[in-house]
Amino acid sequence: MGFVKKATLLGASEFVLACAGVISTVIYARFLGPEGVGQYSVFMSTLTLVVPLASLGIGRANIYFLNTQRYPRQEVIQNSMTFGVLVGVLLTVGMTAVFWTRDSFYGVFPWWCLVVFSFGMACHVVIALLRPVLVAALASRKILSVDIIQRVVLILGALAFALSGHLTVDWALVVTTSAGFAGMLLLLYFLRVELRHPFGWQMNWFRETAGYGIKIAASGILFAITSSLTVLILADRLEHDFSVVGYYTRAVTISSFAVLIPRALSPLFYAKWSDAANKNKRDQIERAARFNVAYGFLAAIGLIVLGRWVVVLLYGAEFIEAY
């Protein structure tokens, strides 16, 4: 399958995955209400903030070192796995302590729920480190499989608890962890050949990938920080009126449709550019820029015109303040 077909497949599938993600947010909104959605969003914002910081952009750097510097694939995977396990253990212990001691901010939850969710954060770090290995190989079908299984588990888990009448914020956090765990397992399965001896460590690899990764992932990390801190600050300043956080996060979710396709295609473009000649690279960058501008303009107009009806249709009239 050529690059154009892979990019088209990934872009179309990313739209389908986004729709699946919307389904899970609709379930949570309908059954948890603005207050519950807001409290759940505070946890998810913490995850969004911590995972990029903990992974240090190493996953994105792996694409460069695999495609341009021709680092041995097995060494990259083994070193990434070792780093992911170390960081995962620290995250599971450290974030459990944070959630437990900051119950005045996050709310009171059973200790096991906090441990499970913290472990889920560790799973997402492993995915952030190793999924780009598939991107570097332009393995679009495997990439999609990892993404799809997370959406499927998320939707089925939310539906199961909703239909049984037991969907609470506690169980929503457990379902989120289950989705991340399933995605990590499938990813490890795809890399099983290189993971026959799963651990290895080379300090030079860490210095080079972490140093390069922080540079190229700086914009993504900055976006994660600003978007997550906005939710956390909003929850803190409003004295934990989680309903306002619920309105805000639903509005952000709908507005994110404007950047959906460009975000889906960017990893594949990056993987292609890493191994392209300078002239071809310039042509591809210009083509991608024109596409992003045109798509963003049309998507923004659509959201402005139809935003109010989209909110009511997806989340219900009680979320109308999200518009």
Side-chain angles (χ1 to χ4, degrees):
M1 185 183 295
F3 171 72
V4 174
K5 290 184 178 179
K6 289 181 179 180
T8 303
L9 173 64
L10 190 62
S13 301
E14 187 68 19
F15 180 78
V16 175
L17 290 172
C19 293
V22 169
I23 293 174
S24 64
T25 63
V26 169
I27 296 172
Y28 289 145
R30 296 285 182 172
F31 287 87
L32 297 180
E35 184 81 10
V37 168
Q39 191 172 23
Y40 173 75
S41 298
V42 171
F43 277 92
M44 293 305 298
S45 294
T46 303
L47 183 150
T48 304
L49 174 65
V50 170
V51 169
L53 293 176
S55 60
L56 299 178
I58 289 177
R60 293 292 296 273
N62 281 338
I63 299 177
Y64 171 77
F65 284 101
L66 284 168
N67 282 3
T68 302
Q69 300 299 322
R70 305 302 182 185
Y71 270 38
R73 177 183 168 98
Q74 184 165 355
E75 290 183 9
V76 169
I77 293 173
Q78 290 175 338
N79 282 281
S80 299
M81 186 65 183
T82 301
F83 179 74
V85 169
L86 292 174
V87 172
V89 171
L90 294 176
L91 270 184
T92 301
V93 175
M95 293 309 301
T96 299
V98 170
F99 293 139
W100 182 262
T101 57
R102 293 284 293 166
D103 58 350
S104 60
F105 181 79
Y106 290 99
V108 179
F109 291 87
W111 66 268
W112 60 265
C113 179
L114 302 178
V115 172
V116 168
F117 185 73
S118 299
F119 172 73
M121 298 176 75
C123 294
H124 283 283
V125 168
V126 173
I127 293 175
L129 293 170
L130 293 178
R131 182 179 178 275
V133 173
L134 301 180
V135 175
L138 298 177
S140 56
R141 292 179 180 175
K142 292 181 179 179
I143 296 169
L144 292 173
S145 298
V146 172
D147 295 339
I148 287 172
I149 194 172
Q150 295 181 71
R151 299 295 197 281
V152 170
V153 172
L154 197 62
I155 292 174
L156 293 181
L159 274 177
F161 283 107
L163 295 178
S164 65
H166 294 93
L167 183 58
T168 61
V169 178
D170 309 48
W171 289 112
L173 297 177
V174 172
V175 169
T176 300
T177 296
S178 301
F181 183 63
M184 182 188 70
L185 288 181
L186 183 58
L187 177 59
L188 296 180
Y189 173 76
F190 287 144
L191 302 175
R192 64 190 181 281
V193 175
E194 293 86 351
L195 290 173
R196 288 176 181 173
H197 304 286
F199 302 113
W201 187 255
Q202 296 172 325
M203 200 62 197
N204 288 337
W205 166 87
F206 176 73
R207 284 196 297 264
E208 292 179 357
T209 54
Y212 188 76
I214 291 174
K215 294 177 183 177
I216 64 173
S219 60
I221 292 175
L222 182 61
F223 175 79
I225 291 174
T226 53
S227 60
S228 302
L229 283 180
T230 301
V231 174
L232 298 177
I233 293 173
L234 187 63
D236 182 62
R237 292 299 177 88
L238 295 175
E239 298 181 352
H240 315 304
D241 183 0
F242 290 115
S243 60
V244 176
V245 178
Y247 299 140
Y248 173 77
T249 55
R250 294 316 91 194
V252 170
T253 297
I254 294 175
S255 64
S256 67
F257 292 163
V259 295
L260 173 62
I261 300 301
R263 187 180 300 171
L265 296 181
S266 61
L268 279 179
F269 278 124
Y270 178 74
K272 186 70 173 180
W273 293 340
S274 337
D275 199 27
N278 288 334
K279 183 179 183 305
N280 293 334
K281 190 180 298 184
R282 286 194 299 270
D283 293 341
Q284 292 178 26
I285 290 174
E286 291 176 1
R287 189 185 311 164
R290 289 194 295 268
F291 170 79
N292 288 345
V293 170
Y295 173 82
F297 179 75
L298 294 176
I301 292 177
L303 290 176
I304 291 173
V305 175
L306 303 174
R308 180 183 298 272
W309 289 272
V310 172
V311 171
V312 175
L313 177 65
L314 294 179
Y315 306 124
E318 59 182 337
F319 280 89
I320 192 62
E321 293 188 36
Y323 181 76

